Amino acid sequence: MSSTWHILGAGSLGSLWACRLARAGKPVRLVLRDKARLQAYEAAGGLTLVEQGKAQLQAIPAQLADDNTPIHRLLVACKAYDAEQAVAQLAPRLARDAELILLQNGLGSQEAVANRVPHARCVFASSTEGAFREQDWQVNFAGHGFNWLGDPANPGPPGWLEDLSDAGIPHQWTPDILTRLWRKLALNCAINPLTVLHDCRNGGLQAHHCEVATLCAELAELLQYCGQPEAAEGLNEEVERVIHATAANYSSMYQDVRHGRRTEIHYLLGHACRTASRHGRQLPHLERLYRRLVEHLNTRGLPSD
Ligand code: NAD
Ligand code: KPL
């Protein structure tokens, strides 16, 4: 019998994982923010997954952080800026053998979470799957993708990967999860802020090749000196490929800004600039991009941390 999957953050990605695991017969519990959310969830009768136009309701039980049952396995599906606090609330419930799976994009939040719960195993994930919500408790599976999983502190794969296979969650265990996370961070830094500042879809950056290439050169330099040379290989070419392949899409950061939502800038461009400064290096174009983006967010009343 598989351990219960506690899902912290019943947003887009958390709901997508929860529904697929529950559909495969795995025990799943949602951990919700507060009593009002719990009541609203119970009134809805469960989570609905919309996939290829078909909606399926999963009556997954939910609880609050102050429930007293122990947690052996926790999928952390909050935004990067919420992850550390959200996990800290659950720390007293984590069993000695607890394992956490951290779904956050960017870098920095994983380390902060791991420091909060040093006795737990923290598995990092890098996901290219796409999900969004049009209403509460309903998630649309928008883009098929892949999940890379790994633990920088322990290369041995965990036993629960079988649950993911049973649930049809595409994944692979990798000893190089940090390389994957850095590569995605670099892609996001080269594309997302520019789409916000130029107010365009990803394809609009085809008119800004030189600006993109200059950022990629600095990002590649950063990856080299922070010990991730593989993540630097062919970066500009891949960025151009992604811009072309996703030309009609708005980047996730563009959508966050458009909807007045907080962005994960601190864990993307912010992390890149902080890492450069820790190494005593200057990356003038990335730093200028960061300053312009912070200013843009501030003028719209959005947080820039
Ligand atoms: P989301 O905003 O849809 O969901 C986050 C959920 O966490 C929200 O429901 C929020 O209420 C909940 N939450 C925050 N603090 C909480 C707390 N203390 N207790 C309980 N719940 C709490 O976000 P998302 O789009 O699912 O993204 C989650 C992470 O996954 C982000 O880092 C994002 O970049 C990454 N990601 C998302 C996608 C996607 O398609 N949505 C794809 C790849 C990566
Ligand atoms: O991941 C993305 C995002 O929008 O966050 C892509 C499509 C790669 C653009 O950076």
Side-chain angles (χ1 to χ4, degrees):
M1 170 77 177
S2 153
S3 275
T4 297
W5 285 82
H6 284 84
I7 312 278
L8 179 59
S12 305
L13 218 50
S15 300
L16 178 64
W17 280 61
C19 286
R20 290 181 294 185
L21 287 162
R23 190 169 63 185
K26 309 296 169 192
V28 180
R29 296 279 178 283
L30 304 177
V31 182
L32 301 180
R33 257 181 200 280
D34 53 39
K35 273 192 187 143
R37 296 277 295 161
L38 184 57
Q39 273 169 5
Y41 175 73
E42 282 168 352
L47 279 181
T48 298
L49 173 63
V50 181
E51 202 176 2
Q52 289 164 348
K54 281 197 200 125
Q56 204 179 29
L57 178 79
Q58 301 289 341
I60 300 168
Q63 55 179 229
L64 295 176
D66 63 6
D67 191 284
N68 54 17
T69 50
I71 295 176
H72 295 272
R73 187 177 307 142
L74 182 68
L75 182 76
V76 182
C78 309
K79 293 283 195 183
Y81 47 77
D82 281 329
E84 184 184 356
Q85 273 312 109
V87 168
Q89 274 184 302
L90 291 182
R93 289 178 59 192
L94 295 178
R96 289 191 66 79
D97 64 347
E99 292 179 286
L100 277 62
I101 301 99
L102 310 179
L103 282 184
Q104 287 61 49
N105 201 11
L107 279 160
S109 69
Q110 299 87 346
E111 206 182 330
V113 168
N115 289 340
R116 278 277 180 164
V117 288
H119 59 290
R121 182 179 195 189
C122 286
V123 168
F124 299 4
S126 177
S127 177
T128 61
E129 294 197 291
F132 67 92
R133 283 175 298 161
E134 273 167 333
Q135 57 191 75
D136 262 357
W137 321 119
Q138 175 169 315
V139 62
N140 290 57
F141 192 0
H144 287 267
F146 202 74
N147 298 287
W148 296 97
L149 300 161
D151 176 354
N154 172 359
W160 45 259
L161 293 180
E162 253 178 37
D163 279 10
L164 304 191
S165 304
D166 295 346
I169 298 175
H171 68 279
Q172 190 171 317
W173 183 255
T174 170
D176 298 321
I177 189 64
L178 288 177
T179 305
R180 296 265 165 202
L181 284 162
W182 268 111
R183 178 70 163 200
K184 180 136 193 286
L185 180 148
L187 276 167
N188 286 160
C189 286
I191 298 175
N192 299 12
L194 286 182
T195 62
V196 173
L197 296 170
H198 289 299
D199 190 15
C200 66
R201 294 175 198 262
N202 293 352
L205 299 186
Q206 283 161 341
H208 301 278
H209 284 300
C210 287
E211 206 176 359
V212 170
T214 307
L215 292 176
C216 286
E218 285 193 357
L219 285 161
E221 193 188 324
L222 168 69
L223 293 169
Q224 292 284 353
Y225 63 67
C226 70
Q228 296 296 336
E230 262 181 64
E233 274 171 33
L235 180 63
N236 193 20
E237 291 72 18
E238 192 181 350
V239 166
E240 288 295 342
R241 256 197 318 277
V242 171
I243 287 174
H244 183 73
T246 63
N249 299 355
Y250 287 109
S251 75
S252 53
M253 188 178 275
Y254 181 99
Q255 294 183 47
D256 283 342
V257 175
R258 167 60 71 84
H259 292 108
R261 294 190 297 246
R262 184 172 175 182
T263 68
E264 295 182 303
I265 173 179
H266 184 80
Y267 303 89
L268 296 167
L269 203 45
H271 187 81
C273 291
R274 284 192 302 280
T275 305
S277 119
R278 246 200 342 267
H279 283 81
R281 306 282 185 129
Q282 291 203 324
L283 299 173
H285 295 89
L286 274 178
E287 283 155 17
R288 183 163 171 272
L289 181 70
Y290 187 37
R291 283 196 302 276
R292 285 168 65 205
L293 187 60
V294 165
E295 207 176 292
H296 184 93
L297 296 175
N298 289 344
T299 55
R300 275 154 191 77
L302 290 173
S304 50
D305 59 349

